Amino acid sequence: MSVSLVTGGAGFIGSHVAQACLDRGDEVVVVDDLSGGYRENLPVGVRFVAADITSRSDIEALFDEHAFDFVYHLAAYAAEGLSHFIRGFNYTNNVVGTMNLVNASIRQGIRCFVFTSSIAVYGAGQVPMDESVQPRPEDPYGIAKYAVELDLAAAHRMFGLEYVVFRPHNVYGEGQNIADRYRNVIGIFMNQVMRGEPMSIFGDGEQTRAFTYVGDVAPVIARAVEVPAACGQTFNIGADTPQTVNRLAVIVAEAFDAKPDIVHLPARNEVVHAYASHERVREVFGQGPATSLDNGVACMAAWARQVGGREPVRFKGIEVEKNLPPSWAEVV
């Protein structure tokens, strides 16, 4: 039986990847600091370790206790827009914490390190985003993700560490943290509808994203270690068809049998159009499921009704307040 470590496994995508590893027959250890995840997300059958990946001693103790075959690294603070204002936090969590895991994986000689990056590495003006183009990230979050990608390639050259990189985008579904006010627009919209608040859109709402149902991507990420052709490769993974944020708001409202109630906020500095090409992942993994946005949102809405609306959580460690969107400003 293989032993898999899933970081961020009490979070959204991580919990689904952990379940897919269990379904394969792995022994699964989840490490999470519960800063953005919930214990109720943990799949039945995993061993949970409350630890912080930025703590070298925590990670060393974890690897001393377990002989891992595979590491699935999903722990991150994935707020692209907010990352401009929390640079230190962003790089500590998303780069330094990852290096603790890479070092431990090299020392232990794991068989494969699977990393979830992001299409944020591409930056603007490169649609459809293709793995062959040179990344030009425009925010600290994307920079951090690309730095890790480069480091994994260097670790392979120096130490022979096998790795696979996935660049998912705009993933939504059951288990998402709908209390996060800075990321995951579908979760934000659903929480606002359930709380009787208008759905807030930055700018005119004509920016486009290809929204991806988690059930279409998590099993592929989990299966990467079984596919020899995936080793050392980078894959975009997600939905093909972009939608405007305005259209998304209508779909979410309809899922709750509500009329769209939208308020437009000042535009923020963000990539306007972001969607990717997925030919490479289909070539290596085959054609997977492609849940329509209407059906995926309906599934998530059914789950969201069960958990109910949640008080939005404000980030307490803003490092730079200049140009911070007013709706993101901290309330003391």
Side-chain angles (χ1 to χ4, degrees), residues 38-110:
Y38 298 91
R39 287 182 180 270
E40 53 262 39
N41 283 349
L42 292 168
V44 175
V46 304
R47 177 175 179 185
F48 174 59
V49 178
D52 183 352
I53 65 167
T54 67
S55 167
R56 178 177 173 181
S57 60
D58 281 1
I59 297 305
E60 289 179 347
L62 183 69
F63 277 74
D64 286 343
E65 185 177 353
H66 300 276
F68 296 116
D69 295 288
F70 309 117
V71 173
Y72 295 87
H73 180 34
L74 296 102
Y77 190 73
E80 294 177 43
L82 190 63
S83 68
H84 290 285
F85 308 98
I86 54 170
R87 278 180 148 75
F89 182 87
N90 168 72
Y91 291 122
T92 298
N93 279 267
N94 297 343
V95 179
V96 176
T98 303
M99 295 309 107
N100 288 333
L101 291 162
V102 172
N103 285 340
S105 297
I106 292 168
R107 288 193 296 266
Q108 193 171 94
I110 69 158

Side-chain angles (χ1 to χ4, degrees), residues 18-286:
Q19 182 63 63
C21 290
L22 286 172
D23 293 342
R24 190 177 60 223
D26 288 6
E27 178 184 338
V28 179
V29 178
V30 164
V31 62
D32 201 298
D33 65 0
L34 300 177
S35 60
Y38 298 91
R39 287 182 180 270
E40 53 262 39
N41 283 349
L42 292 168
V44 175
V46 304
R47 177 175 179 185
F48 174 59
V49 178
D52 183 352
I53 65 167
T54 67
S55 167
R56 178 177 173 181
S57 60
D58 281 1
I59 297 305
E60 289 179 347
L62 183 69
F63 277 74
D64 286 343
E65 185 177 353
H66 300 276
F68 296 116
D69 295 288
F70 309 117
V71 173
Y72 295 87
H73 180 34
L74 296 102
Y77 190 73
E80 294 177 43
L82 190 63
S83 68
H84 290 285
F85 308 98
I86 54 170
R87 278 180 148 75
F89 182 87
N90 168 72
Y91 291 122
T92 298
N93 279 267
N94 297 343
V95 179
V96 176
T98 303
M99 295 309 107
N100 288 333
L101 291 162
V102 172
N103 285 340
S105 297
I106 292 168
R107 288 193 296 266
Q108 193 171 94
I110 69 158
R111 291 162 57 188
C112 189
F113 190 106
V114 182
F115 175 59
T116 52
S117 182
S118 168
I119 65 166
V121 303
Y122 289 111
Q126 304 208 70
V127 293
M129 296 164 172
D130 182 272
E131 297 95 338
S132 65
V133 306
Q134 178 63 44
R136 296 197 303 266
E138 295 199 340
D139 55 66
Y141 174 69
I143 292 168
K145 288 293 190 179
Y146 189 45
V148 173
E149 291 187 18
L150 294 174
D151 186 82
L152 286 172
H156 175 72
R157 292 190 297 269
M158 177 61 68
F159 304 108
L161 178 66
E162 297 290 355
Y163 70 93
V164 182
V165 172
F166 287 98
R167 294 171 176 167
H169 50 95
N170 300 101
V171 183
Y172 69 94
E174 300 89 331
Q176 194 163 62
N177 183 358
I178 60 175
D180 193 322
R181 63 185 299 118
Y182 306 103
R183 52 181 175 170
N184 306 322
V185 63
I186 293 179
I188 291 172
F189 280 172
M190 288 190 179
N191 201 36
Q192 289 172 331
V193 170
M194 289 189 295
R195 288 168 55 83
E197 301 169 351
M199 292 180 282
S200 55
I201 295 177
F202 289 99
D204 63 8
E206 289 303 296
Q207 58 268 49
T208 57
R209 301 290 187 269
F211 299 99
T212 304
Y213 184 61
V214 67
D216 295 344
V217 299
V220 178
I221 294 171
R223 191 160 61 90
V225 299
E226 302 173 346
V227 182
C231 286
Q233 298 297 310
T234 298
F235 302 97
N236 296 333
I237 186 168
D240 292 313
T241 306
Q243 303 274 358
T244 67
V245 176
N246 285 328
R247 174 59 185 156
L248 173 68
V250 172
I251 292 173
V252 171
E254 289 176 346
F256 286 89
D257 298 318
K259 292 183 178 180
D261 180 12
I262 298 169
V263 59
H264 288 272
L265 304 176
R268 65 184 187 186
N269 183 15
E270 64 178 340
V271 174
V272 178
H273 302 293
Y275 53 95
S277 166
H278 303 109
E279 282 78 8
R280 181 181 292 183
V281 74
R282 282 193 283 264
E283 287 175 1
V284 175
F285 291 91

